[in-house]
């Protein structure tokens, strides 16, 4: 592929697709590299996204690609980036399929990836009756008995947040709770039962949780679970290129998605810990505006 693209977008989820749409409408020559393994593929529906509430993730991506196809300057390649070299104005991307792509700017929309779920039975219900975000999936579990799996400050956050959807909630800390006495008393005042025995397994039928079984023999019946996932960066390429990255794997960006490396941007779950599709799409739009502004400025000054 000999074309020098204005922007190469690595990642074809809501952030990458949103950026592609904005840049396509800005008449920029764009390539979207998409390996087709979005983190939200385990979920049945996207929620909280105006006009797309309840849409299946695969359908969301299909509609987005169909709309972006109206802009001929945007191309898609179903492939994965494995190496990125170069500097602002001339980046070179090598793909798993053996292609080499050159681009003036880069946008990493590579998201995060789930680390293996270390509780027996949790993977069977993940995306069906076990979720990580009450804002995304709390409505479907409203007024039902819920278990949330967390420790310490995270447990307190979950306890308060889940109250908006149900008053029947139980904390399973899967080991030492890491709570202060004051926090334990606070949970007790709000009728939140706390079990600190390690979880032996989660029992379910056809993806619907029935109960959480603990090592001490206790069983906690429930109709849904929320838990804090263990995540890693969706790609190591931003770090390898020199981008500043937080301890949790998020690429450090400014308000328009610009990283610490000139010409390199990031958006969506790759650059935030607010994991919602509408947030990712919004960040993709802002990054696209930042990239377009930079390209226009360079062209204006005869550097494009």
């Amino acid at each position: 592929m000999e074309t020098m693209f204005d922007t190469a977008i690595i990642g074809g989820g809501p952030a990458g697709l949103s950026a592609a749409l904005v840049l396509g409408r800005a008449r920029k020559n764009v390539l979207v590299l998409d390996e087709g393994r979005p983190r939200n593929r385990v979920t049945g529906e996207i929620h909280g996204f105006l006009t797309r509430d309840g849409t299946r993730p695969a359908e969301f991506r299909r509609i987005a690609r169909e709309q972006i196809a109206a802009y001929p300057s945007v191309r898609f390649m179903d492939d994965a980036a494995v190496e990125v070299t170069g500097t602002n104005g001339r980046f070179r991307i090598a793909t798993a399929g053996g292609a080499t792509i050159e681009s003036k700017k880069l946008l990493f929309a590579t998201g995060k990836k789930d680390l293996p779920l270390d509780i027996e039975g949790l993977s069977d219900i993940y995306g069906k009756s076990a979720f990580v975000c009450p804002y995304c999936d709390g409505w479907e579990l409203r007024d039902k008995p819920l278990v949330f799996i967390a420790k310490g400050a995270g447990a307190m956050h979950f306890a308060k947040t889940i109250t908006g959807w149900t008053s029947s909630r139980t904390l399973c800390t899967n080991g030492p709770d890491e709570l202060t006495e004051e926090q334990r008393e606070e949970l007790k005042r709000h009728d939140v039962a706390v079990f600190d025995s390690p979880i032996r397994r989660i029992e379910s039928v056809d993806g619907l949780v029935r109960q959480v079984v603990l090592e001490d023999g206790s069983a906690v019946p429930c109709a849904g679970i929320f838990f804090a996932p263990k995540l890693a960066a969706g790609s190591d390429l931003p770090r390898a290129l020199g981008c500043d990255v937080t301890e949790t794997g998020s690429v450090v960006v400014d308000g328009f998605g610009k990283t610490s490396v000139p010409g390199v941007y990031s958006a969506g779950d790759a650059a935030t810990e607010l994991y919602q599709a509408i947030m990712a799409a919004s960040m993709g739009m802002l990054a696209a505006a930042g990239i377009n502004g930079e390209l226009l400025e360079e062209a204006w000054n005869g550097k494009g």
Side-chain angles (χ1 to χ4, degrees), residues 15-45:
L17 292 168
S18 178
L21 177 60
V22 173
L23 288 167
R25 288 180 56 81
R27 306 179 70 184
K28 295 301 181 288
N29 193 21
V30 178
L31 178 71
V32 181
L33 270 172
D34 184 10
E35 65 179 350
R37 290 183 57 80
R39 182 173 167 238
N40 68 355
R41 67 187 182 277
V42 303
T43 63
E45 298 175 342

Short mmCIF file of all heavy atoms in Angstrom, two decimals, residues 15-45:
data_model
loop_
_atom_site.label_atom_id
_atom_site.label_comp_id
_atom_site.label_asym_id
_atom_site.label_seq_id
_atom_site.Cartn_x
_atom_site.Cartn_y
_atom_site.Cartn_z
N ALA A 15 -14.69 4.82 19.42
CA ALA A 15 -13.75 5.95 19.33
C ALA A 15 -13.16 6.06 17.94
O ALA A 15 -13.14 7.13 17.32
CB ALA A 15 -12.65 5.80 20.37
N GLY A 16 -12.65 4.95 17.41
CA GLY A 16 -12.03 4.97 16.09
C GLY A 16 -13.03 5.29 14.99
O GLY A 16 -12.73 6.04 14.05
N LEU A 17 -14.23 4.73 15.11
CA LEU A 17 -15.26 4.97 14.10
C LEU A 17 -15.72 6.42 14.12
O LEU A 17 -15.93 7.04 13.07
CB LEU A 17 -16.43 4.03 14.32
CG LEU A 17 -16.15 2.55 14.05
CD1 LEU A 17 -17.28 1.68 14.60
CD2 LEU A 17 -15.94 2.29 12.57
N SER A 18 -15.89 6.97 15.31
CA SER A 18 -16.29 8.37 15.42
C SER A 18 -15.24 9.29 14.82
O SER A 18 -15.57 10.22 14.07
CB SER A 18 -16.52 8.72 16.90
OG SER A 18 -16.87 10.07 17.06
N ALA A 19 -13.99 9.02 15.10
CA ALA A 19 -12.90 9.82 14.53
C ALA A 19 -12.87 9.70 13.01
O ALA A 19 -12.66 10.68 12.29
CB ALA A 19 -11.57 9.38 15.12
N ALA A 20 -13.08 8.48 12.50
CA ALA A 20 -13.08 8.27 11.05
C ALA A 20 -14.19 9.06 10.38
O ALA A 20 -13.99 9.64 9.30
CB ALA A 20 -13.23 6.78 10.75
N LEU A 21 -15.36 9.10 11.00
CA LEU A 21 -16.47 9.85 10.44
C LEU A 21 -16.15 11.34 10.37
O LEU A 21 -16.36 11.99 9.34
CB LEU A 21 -17.73 9.62 11.29
CG LEU A 21 -18.98 10.40 10.88
CD1 LEU A 21 -19.41 10.05 9.46
CD2 LEU A 21 -20.10 10.14 11.88
N VAL A 22 -15.64 11.88 11.46
CA VAL A 22 -15.32 13.32 11.50
C VAL A 22 -14.23 13.66 10.50
O VAL A 22 -14.33 14.65 9.76
CB VAL A 22 -14.91 13.73 12.93
CG1 VAL A 22 -14.42 15.17 12.96
CG2 VAL A 22 -16.10 13.56 13.88
N LEU A 23 -13.19 12.85 10.45
CA LEU A 23 -12.09 13.13 9.52
C LEU A 23 -12.51 12.91 8.07
O LEU A 23 -12.06 13.62 7.16
CB LEU A 23 -10.89 12.25 9.86
CG LEU A 23 -10.15 12.66 11.14
CD1 LEU A 23 -9.17 11.57 11.58
CD2 LEU A 23 -9.42 13.99 10.95
N GLY A 24 -13.38 11.93 7.83
CA GLY A 24 -13.89 11.74 6.49
C GLY A 24 -14.69 12.94 6.01
O GLY A 24 -14.55 13.39 4.87
N ARG A 25 -15.52 13.48 6.90
CA ARG A 25 -16.29 14.67 6.55
C ARG A 25 -15.40 15.90 6.38
O ARG A 25 -15.77 16.85 5.70
CB ARG A 25 -17.36 14.93 7.62
CG ARG A 25 -18.49 13.91 7.59
CD ARG A 25 -19.53 14.20 8.66
NE ARG A 25 -20.06 15.55 8.54
CZ ARG A 25 -21.01 15.93 7.69
NH1 ARG A 25 -21.53 15.04 6.85
NH2 ARG A 25 -21.44 17.17 7.67
N ALA A 26 -14.22 15.86 7.02
CA ALA A 26 -13.26 16.95 6.86
C ALA A 26 -12.36 16.75 5.63
O ALA A 26 -11.39 17.49 5.44
CB ALA A 26 -12.40 17.07 8.12
N ARG A 27 -12.69 15.72 4.84
CA ARG A 27 -12.00 15.44 3.57
C ARG A 27 -10.54 15.05 3.76
O ARG A 27 -9.68 15.34 2.93
CB ARG A 27 -12.12 16.63 2.61
CG ARG A 27 -13.55 17.07 2.37
CD ARG A 27 -13.63 18.25 1.43
NE ARG A 27 -13.28 17.85 0.06
CZ ARG A 27 -13.20 18.72 -0.95
NH1 ARG A 27 -13.42 20.01 -0.73
NH2 ARG A 27 -12.87 18.31 -2.15
N LYS A 28 -10.29 14.34 4.85
CA LYS A 28 -8.96 13.82 5.09
C LYS A 28 -8.88 12.37 4.64
O LYS A 28 -9.86 11.62 4.69
CB LYS A 28 -8.60 13.94 6.58
CG LYS A 28 -8.50 15.38 7.05
CD LYS A 28 -7.45 16.16 6.28
CE LYS A 28 -7.30 17.60 6.73
NZ LYS A 28 -8.46 18.45 6.32
N ASN A 29 -7.69 11.98 4.20
CA ASN A 29 -7.43 10.63 3.71
C ASN A 29 -7.09 9.75 4.91
O ASN A 29 -6.04 9.92 5.54
CB ASN A 29 -6.26 10.68 2.71
CG ASN A 29 -6.12 9.41 1.93
OD1 ASN A 29 -7.05 8.64 1.82
ND2 ASN A 29 -4.92 9.19 1.40
N VAL A 30 -7.98 8.82 5.24
CA VAL A 30 -7.91 8.09 6.51
C VAL A 30 -7.93 6.59 6.27
O VAL A 30 -8.67 6.10 5.42
CB VAL A 30 -9.11 8.48 7.42
CG1 VAL A 30 -9.08 7.69 8.72
CG2 VAL A 30 -9.09 9.97 7.70
N LEU A 31 -7.15 5.88 7.07
CA LEU A 31 -7.22 4.42 7.10
C LEU A 31 -7.57 3.98 8.51
O LEU A 31 -6.95 4.44 9.48
CB LEU A 31 -5.90 3.79 6.69
CG LEU A 31 -5.89 2.25 6.75
CD1 LEU A 31 -6.74 1.66 5.63
CD2 LEU A 31 -4.47 1.70 6.69
N VAL A 32 -8.56 3.09 8.63
CA VAL A 32 -8.91 2.49 9.92
C VAL A 32 -8.44 1.05 9.91
O VAL A 32 -8.88 0.24 9.10
CB VAL A 32 -10.43 2.54 10.16
CG1 VAL A 32 -10.76 1.92 11.53
CG2 VAL A 32 -10.95 3.98 10.09
N LEU A 33 -7.53 0.74 10.83
CA LEU A 33 -7.05 -0.63 11.02
C LEU A 33 -7.87 -1.26 12.14
O LEU A 33 -7.85 -0.78 13.28
CB LEU A 33 -5.57 -0.63 11.42
CG LEU A 33 -4.53 -0.71 10.32
CD1 LEU A 33 -3.15 -0.50 10.92
CD2 LEU A 33 -4.59 -2.05 9.61
N ASP A 34 -8.58 -2.33 11.85
CA ASP A 34 -9.47 -2.93 12.84
C ASP A 34 -9.27 -4.44 12.88
O ASP A 34 -9.53 -5.13 11.89
CB ASP A 34 -10.92 -2.61 12.46
CG ASP A 34 -11.93 -3.12 13.49
OD1 ASP A 34 -11.50 -3.56 14.57
OD2 ASP A 34 -13.14 -3.07 13.19
N GLU A 35 -8.81 -4.94 14.02
CA GLU A 35 -8.60 -6.38 14.15
C GLU A 35 -9.89 -7.12 14.51
O GLU A 35 -9.92 -8.35 14.56
CB GLU A 35 -7.52 -6.69 15.18
CG GLU A 35 -7.86 -6.28 16.60
CD GLU A 35 -6.74 -6.63 17.57
OE1 GLU A 35 -5.82 -7.35 17.18
OE2 GLU A 35 -6.81 -6.17 18.72
N GLY A 36 -10.97 -6.38 14.80
CA GLY A 36 -12.27 -7.00 14.97
C GLY A 36 -12.47 -7.77 16.25
O GLY A 36 -13.28 -8.71 16.30
N ARG A 37 -11.81 -7.36 17.35
CA ARG A 37 -12.00 -8.03 18.64
C ARG A 37 -12.30 -6.99 19.72
O ARG A 37 -11.53 -6.80 20.67
CB ARG A 37 -10.77 -8.85 19.01
CG ARG A 37 -10.58 -10.08 18.13
CD ARG A 37 -9.39 -10.91 18.59
NE ARG A 37 -9.48 -11.33 19.97
CZ ARG A 37 -10.20 -12.36 20.39
NH1 ARG A 37 -10.92 -13.06 19.52
NH2 ARG A 37 -10.22 -12.70 21.67
N PRO A 38 -13.45 -6.32 19.62
CA PRO A 38 -13.79 -5.30 20.61
C PRO A 38 -14.07 -5.92 21.97
O PRO A 38 -14.59 -7.04 22.06
CB PRO A 38 -15.05 -4.64 20.05
CG PRO A 38 -15.67 -5.73 19.23
CD PRO A 38 -14.52 -6.48 18.62
N ARG A 39 -13.75 -5.18 23.02
CA ARG A 39 -13.98 -5.69 24.37
C ARG A 39 -15.47 -5.91 24.64
O ARG A 39 -15.84 -6.83 25.37
CB ARG A 39 -13.38 -4.70 25.38
CG ARG A 39 -13.53 -5.16 26.83
CD ARG A 39 -12.78 -4.24 27.78
NE ARG A 39 -13.17 -4.52 29.14
CZ ARG A 39 -13.70 -3.64 29.98
NH1 ARG A 39 -13.85 -2.39 29.58
NH2 ARG A 39 -14.05 -3.98 31.18
N ASN A 40 -16.33 -5.07 24.05
CA ASN A 40 -17.75 -5.20 24.35
C ASN A 40 -18.45 -6.28 23.53
O ASN A 40 -19.68 -6.37 23.54
CB ASN A 40 -18.47 -3.85 24.17
CG ASN A 40 -18.54 -3.39 22.72
OD1 ASN A 40 -17.97 -4.02 21.83
ND2 ASN A 40 -19.21 -2.28 22.49
N ARG A 41 -17.68 -7.13 22.84
CA ARG A 41 -18.31 -8.20 22.07
C ARG A 41 -19.01 -9.21 22.98
O ARG A 41 -19.87 -9.97 22.51
CB ARG A 41 -17.27 -8.91 21.19
CG ARG A 41 -16.22 -9.71 21.96
CD ARG A 41 -15.14 -10.24 21.01
NE ARG A 41 -14.14 -11.04 21.70
CZ ARG A 41 -13.10 -10.54 22.35
NH1 ARG A 41 -12.91 -9.22 22.37
NH2 ARG A 41 -12.23 -11.33 22.95
N VAL A 42 -18.66 -9.26 24.28
CA VAL A 42 -19.30 -10.21 25.19
C VAL A 42 -20.66 -9.72 25.65
O VAL A 42 -21.43 -10.49 26.23
CB VAL A 42 -18.40 -10.49 26.42
CG1 VAL A 42 -17.05 -11.01 26.00
CG2 VAL A 42 -18.26 -9.25 27.30
N THR A 43 -20.97 -8.45 25.43
CA THR A 43 -22.23 -7.90 25.92
C THR A 43 -23.31 -8.01 24.85
O THR A 43 -23.03 -7.98 23.65
CB THR A 43 -22.08 -6.42 26.32
OG1 THR A 43 -21.72 -5.66 25.17
CG2 THR A 43 -20.99 -6.27 27.37
N GLY A 44 -24.55 -8.11 25.30
CA GLY A 44 -25.66 -8.24 24.37
C GLY A 44 -26.01 -6.94 23.69
O GLY A 44 -26.36 -6.93 22.50
N GLU A 45 -25.92 -5.83 24.43
CA GLU A 45 -26.38 -4.55 23.90
C GLU A 45 -25.53 -3.40 24.43
O GLU A 45 -24.96 -3.49 25.51
CB GLU A 45 -27.84 -4.31 24.31
CG GLU A 45 -28.81 -5.35 23.78
CD GLU A 45 -30.22 -5.13 24.31
OE1 GLU A 45 -30.38 -4.42 25.33
OE2 GLU A 45 -31.17 -5.66 23.70
#
